[in-house]
Amino acid sequence: GQNIDQPTEMTATEGAIVQINCTYQTSGFNGLFWYQQHAGEAPTFLSYNVLDGLEEKGRFSSFLSRSKGYSYLLLKELQMKDSASYLCAVRALYGQNFVFGPGTRLSVLP
Amino acid sequence: EAGVAQSPRYKIIEKRQSVAFWCNPISGHATLYWYQQILGQGPKLLIQFQNNGVVDDSQLPKDRFSAERLKGVDSTLKIQPAKLEDSAVYLCASTQTGIQTYEQYFGPGTRLTVT
């Protein structure tokens, strides 16, 4: 089975940097994904890590340590529109199914 | 490229009634997923199809939920009879097998309220 943990809520200020952590325990691993979900909308893909290290994509970066079962999503130069839930998901080694974490609700304040 | 289509967008039913949701994935996407997302939680996988075959339905409450993808394209998810705890958003997603990242594309979801 797989278990994924994320903080429930976080608050940050416009223009700041925020790091959202994700820890996972899995019997098989074939990639970790981050999705953004605005209230009332479907999740949209942000980033993907399958090897250890940092992946950078504009204002968003994601880090993975497979040995520690740990990932984080880093958001820089926060904007009000970044207020959303951020979902960490692990893809299984076989079958390609995904297990999602509970999500972290981020509020960006002016 | 058209996205994942779902209908209806909203549905309100009474407990013990039945309901069906429809999903049309992105053209060419062989893998289709149905998720249940309860308010404040992450999506929970109900069933995964590869073409018209079931890959994983271990979390599908089979006494009341059923799903099919007869021609390997669009899919329907049915609940019969519905319970209050089935109130949730039902998300359909698809992936293009063979592409390295296997990124999922989600539809807009169907918000179900059971009263």
Side-chain angles (χ1 to χ4, degrees):
Chain A
Q2 307 202 67
N3 186 47
I4 301 176
D5 284 317
Q6 302 179 236
T8 303
E9 292 188 35
M10 298 184 71
T11 303
T13 305
E14 195 174 14
I17 299 172
V18 71
Q19 178 175 311
I20 302 174
N21 296 325
C22 170
T23 58
Y24 64 91
Q25 296 171 313
T26 178
S27 55
F29 176 87
N30 194 20
L32 187 138
F33 294 72
W34 285 95
Y35 284 81
Q36 181 191 58
Q37 187 176 29
H38 285 101
E41 299 182 11
T44 55
F45 171 78
L46 287 178
S47 70
Y48 162 74
N49 296 72
V50 67
L51 299 175
D52 291 351
L54 188 69
E55 293 284 340
E56 298 190 77
K57 213 175 180 182
R59 294 191 299 116
F60 294 74
S61 303
S62 57
F63 172 83
L64 175 67
S65 169
R66 288 172 296 170
S67 62
K68 295 181 179 178
Y70 168 69
S71 174
Y72 67 73
L73 179 70
L74 194 71
L75 292 79
K76 304 175 187 175
E77 302 169 12
L78 280 173
Q79 302 175 10
M80 300 296 289
K81 67 178 181 179
D82 297 330
S83 292
S85 286
Y86 290 86
L87 300 164
C88 171
V90 173
R91 188 176 67 199
L93 187 58
Y94 301 108
Q96 300 173 33
N97 67 20
F98 293 77
V99 178
F100 281 82
T104 298
R105 188 163 66 240
L106 174 66
S107 298
V108 179
L109 306 178
Chain B
E1 175 181 82
V4 177
Q6 288 188 248
S7 66
R9 292 295 311 277
Y10 305 91
K11 190 73 177 179
I12 301 174
I13 62 173
E14 296 181 352
K15 60 184 179 184
R16 291 187 289 273
Q17 287 187 323
S18 63
V19 65
F21 313 129
W22 173 82
C23 171
N24 191 24
I26 293 173
S27 177
H29 281 199
T31 307
L32 184 148
Y33 308 81
W34 281 103
Y35 291 92
Q36 179 193 60
Q37 187 173 26
I38 292 171
L39 188 64
Q41 299 181 18
K44 181 183 104 173
L45 180 69
L46 293 175
I47 190 167
Q48 176 189 347
F49 291 96
Q50 178 79 13
N51 296 307
N52 61 349
V54 175
V55 175
D56 184 351
D57 63 356
S58 58
Q59 298 191 91
L60 186 73
K62 298 180 184 65
D63 58 333
R64 297 185 300 106
F65 286 64
S66 64
E68 60 183 13
R69 193 184 185 200
L70 291 176
K71 296 181 180 178
V73 181
D74 55 351
S75 175
T76 56
L77 176 70
K78 297 179 182 177
I79 307 175
Q80 181 179 11
K83 293 185 175 181
L84 295 176
E85 59 260 36
D86 298 332
S87 294
V89 175
Y90 291 84
L91 294 165
C92 179
S94 67
T95 59
Q96 187 177 9
T97 308
I99 299 298
Q100 187 177 4
T101 62
Y102 300 111
E103 174 187 341
Q104 288 184 100
Y105 295 83
F106 284 85
T110 296
R111 184 176 298 276
L112 174 67
T113 302
V114 182
T115 62

